[in-house]
Amino acid sequence: MPVSPLQTILAEMDNAARAAGRPPARLLAVSKTQPADAVAALAAQGQVAFGENYVQEAAGKIAALSSRGLEWHLIGHLQSNKAEQAAQLFDWVQTVDRPKLVGALARHRPAARGPLNVLIQVNIDDEASKHGCAPEAVEALAAAIAAEPALRLRGLMAIPAPFPERARRQAAFARMRALHEALAAAHPTADTLSMGMSSDFPDAIAGGATMVRVGTALFGARGARPT
C-alpha cells in the first residue's frame, strides 16, 4: 500500500524532532484554496488541525465540515473588520500583531465557545512586505491578550524571510525560540511556537517549533482561491 503524503510528513517531523532531541511538533495542514472535500479526505486519515488564510473562504469549509470535530486556525493577516467573524469561527488565531485586534477578538468571542487561542505574529526579519509586530512589541501585546478572559495567549508565530542561505533561516528560528522562551517564562499558557512550512519544517523543528504549517507537501500545488 502506498504511503500517503500525510504519513510521509509525519514521519519526517518525527525524525527531525528525534535528531534534534526535541519533543514532537504538531502538524497544521494549510488548507487555504483547497476544497472542503480535500480537507475531508485528509481528516479521514486522522488530521485534525487545519489552517486558513481568508475568513470568508474558511467560513464555508467550517460549516460544511462542522460535524467532524476539526480544529480551525486563522493563519492569514486579519483585518480589523473581519475580527468579529474570526472570533466566532476559529479555534485559534495565529496572526494577532496589534492591540486593536486584541480588543476586537475579545469582544466578539462567544462565551459558549470558551477562550480563543491566540498567537502573536512576529516579523522576525523586519521585512517591509510582511505583517507581524516587532520583537520588542511582544511583551506589551502579550500582556494585553493575557488580560482578556475571552482570549488565551498560546505563544508566537512567524514566517521568517526565505533567505537562500540556510544559516540565516536557522538564525531566525533561533531568535524566535529565544523570544518564545522568554514569553513562556512570564506566561505559562504560552506553549506554542508556530514556524516552519513545507520547504523548511525540519529546520524549524530543530530550531524549536512546536507547530509547523504544511500545505503544498500535503495537498500538492495550490489551486486558485475560490471566489
Side-chain angles (χ1 to χ4, degrees):
M1 189 177 218
V3 176
S4 71
L6 177 60
Q7 290 172 310
T8 299
I9 295 298
L10 290 174
E12 291 178 1
M13 289 173 59
D14 185 58
N15 289 340
R18 287 174 185 271
R22 298 282 305 161
R26 289 190 70 200
L27 173 63
L28 182 68
V30 178
S31 48
K32 63 180 181 181
T33 77
Q34 300 295 333
D37 58 358
V39 175
L42 207 57
Q45 297 176 52
Q47 177 62 24
V48 172
F50 292 86
E52 292 284 329
N53 270 42
Y54 304 103
V55 174
Q56 283 303 119
E57 180 190 336
K61 294 181 209 178
I62 293 172
L65 300 168
S66 61
S67 65
R68 292 180 176 261
L70 302 180
E71 180 181 290
W72 295 94
H73 295 233
L74 181 65
I75 58 173
H77 176 64
L78 179 59
Q79 297 174 319
S80 298
N81 64 357
K82 298 288 186 182
E84 178 176 358
Q85 192 176 13
Q88 295 168 355
L89 284 174
F90 289 92
D91 302 294
W92 290 64
V93 173
Q94 296 202 13
T95 51
V96 172
D97 61 0
R98 56 200 189 279
K100 185 176 182 180
L101 286 180
V102 175
L105 290 170
R107 280 196 308 277
H108 296 296
R109 180 65 172 177
R113 294 211 57 193
L116 176 66
N117 296 295
V118 170
L119 298 183
I120 296 171
Q121 182 176 0
V122 181
N123 188 347
I124 193 62
D125 287 313
D126 193 24
E127 293 180 273
S129 62
K130 291 257 181 78
H131 296 287
C133 71
E136 55 269 23
V138 166
E139 186 177 346
L141 199 51
I145 294 164
E148 295 285 357
L151 307 180
R152 180 177 288 120
L153 176 66
R154 294 298 299 271
L156 303 176
M157 178 268 225
I159 308 170
F163 293 120
E165 305 89 354
R166 184 184 182 196
R168 293 183 73 184
R169 299 194 303 272
Q170 290 173 319
F173 292 145
R175 293 197 303 276
M176 283 301 303
R177 180 178 178 177
L179 200 60
H180 179 251
E181 288 175 349
L183 178 68
H187 299 277
T189 61
D191 57 2
T192 301
L193 178 54
S194 172
M195 61 184 187
M197 298 184 285
S198 290
S199 62
D200 59 7
F201 68 83
D203 278 345
I205 292 171
T210 68
M211 179 183 292
V212 297
R213 309 181 303 274
V214 178
T216 303
L218 283 172
F219 293 103
R222 290 182 202 148
R225 181 185 170 193
T227 54

